[in-house]
């Protein structure tokens, strides 16, 4: 079984631009969560999707958004990038998202210049 | 908001020594999970604890969930160089919230 796939692996953007990150969960997994990882803040929860519905979200500004498609693939978008958005963005999948272990992808390393 | 703290932040040990990391939540948790992230890698699930006072073992690793379900610990006996990485606890505030609050992590270095 293929693992969680995130693309692209690396991204370099400049302030003010927007970016879209993609995540393909493990086949059969319907829950996808997104986390931001930085050296200073650790892993911060962004949002969780299940069957194309956002069920929970973290404390991030509205510039951070996401969506999930009918095949469970998910995308997150960050608009008007700021320097502080530089981070490793991790996607995790699980069968239903209800108190289950998370399978993480390798992440997308975003650098904002 | 709810916070999950881990101590220590860093730990250097000689190979063969024991290692313990502690996880403390500001509120009661429904369950707690532990993950390991190797340098340059992504978090990998180790274990989940659900019951108050629960203790689970995986070879040299022993995990505990506190009686009040607000703290947890991971103990590694006789560390090996393969144990190098950052260990995170992740707490679920309550069942069905579909989110985990990750601890700040403990970075372990093992000196051969």
């Amino acid at each position: 079984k293929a693992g969680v796939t995130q693309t692209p692996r690396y991204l370099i953007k400049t302030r003010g631009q927007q970016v879209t990150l993609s995540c393909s969960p493990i086949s059969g997994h319907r829950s996808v969560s997104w986390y931001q990882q930085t050296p200073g803040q650790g892993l911060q929860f962004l949002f969780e999707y299940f069957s194309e519905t956002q069920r929970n979200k973290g404390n991030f500004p509205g510039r951070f958004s996401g969506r999930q498609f009918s095949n469970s693939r998910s995308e997150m978008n960050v608009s008007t990038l700021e320097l502080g958005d530089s981070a490793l963005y991790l996607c995790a999948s699980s069968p239903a998202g209800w108190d289950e272990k998370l399978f993480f992808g390798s992440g997308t390393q975003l650098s904002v210049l | 908001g709810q916070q999950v703290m881990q101590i220590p932040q860093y730990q250097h040990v000689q190979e063969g020594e024991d290692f313990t990391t502690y996880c403390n939540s500001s509120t009661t948790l429904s369950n707690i999970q532990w993950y390991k992230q190797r340098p340059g890698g992504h978090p990998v699930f180790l274990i989940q604890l659900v019951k108050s006072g629960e203790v689970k073992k995986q070879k040299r690793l022993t995990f505990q969930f506190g009686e009040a379900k607000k703290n947890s610990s991971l103990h590694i006996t006789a560390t090996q160089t393969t144990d190098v990485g950052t260990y995170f606890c992740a707490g679920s505030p309550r069942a069905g919230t579909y989110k985990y609050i990750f601890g700040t992590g403990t970075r372990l270095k093992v000196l051969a």
Side-chain angles (χ1 to χ4, degrees), chain B residues 14-105:
Chain B
Q14 279 298 133
E15 189 173 23
E17 291 183 337
D18 292 355
F19 159 76
T20 304
T21 174
Y22 300 91
C23 179
N24 294 288
S25 170
S26 56
T27 59
T28 302
L29 301 170
S30 169
N31 63 75
I32 196 158
Q33 297 179 344
W34 284 89
Y35 291 82
K36 176 184 178 181
Q37 185 173 23
R38 293 180 185 274
H42 57 273
V44 175
F45 175 85
L46 292 175
I47 208 159
Q48 176 170 291
L49 304 169
V50 179
K51 300 176 184 176
S52 169
E54 188 170 15
V55 178
K56 286 189 176 181
K57 292 190 176 184
Q58 287 181 350
K59 297 183 180 178
R60 295 180 294 106
L61 278 61
T62 301
F63 304 83
Q64 291 188 324
F65 199 9
E67 293 291 340
K69 300 185 78 173
K70 294 179 71 174
N71 55 66
S72 181
S73 65
L74 158 59
H75 179 81
I76 302 178
T77 303
T79 54
Q80 300 174 359
T81 54
T82 53
D83 295 326
V84 165
T86 301
Y87 292 84
F88 293 96
C89 62
S92 175
R94 60 181 184 277
T97 54
Y98 315 117
K99 69 183 282 189
Y100 276 90
I101 309 296
F102 275 75
T104 44

Side-chain angles (χ1 to χ4, degrees), chain A residues 9 33 35 37 39 42-43 45 48 55-58 88 90 96-107, chain B residues 1 9 30-31 33 35 37 40-45 48 88 92 94-104:
Chain A
R9 185 71 180 89
S33 303
Y35 288 83
Q37 185 174 28
L43 281 101
F45 173 78
E48 188 266 357
R55 296 192 296 191
N56 209 335
K57 62 178 293 189
L88 179 66
L90 292 161
W98 191 300
D99 297 336
E100 300 167 322
K101 68 180 181 180
L102 303 176
F103 293 83
F104 282 88
S106 297
Chain B
Q9 189 175 2
S30 169
N31 63 75
Q33 297 179 344
Y35 291 82
Q37 185 173 23
H42 57 273
V44 175
F45 175 85
Q48 176 170 291
F88 293 96
S92 175
R94 60 181 184 277
T97 54
Y98 315 117
K99 69 183 282 189
Y100 276 90
I101 309 296
F102 275 75
T104 44

Side-chain angles (χ1 to χ4, degrees), chain A residues 16 19 26 29 31 34-36 38 46 57-58 100:
Chain A
V19 66
I26 291 172
H29 286 192
S31 169
W34 288 89
Y35 288 83
Q36 180 195 67
T38 58
L46 281 156
K57 62 178 293 189
E100 300 167 322

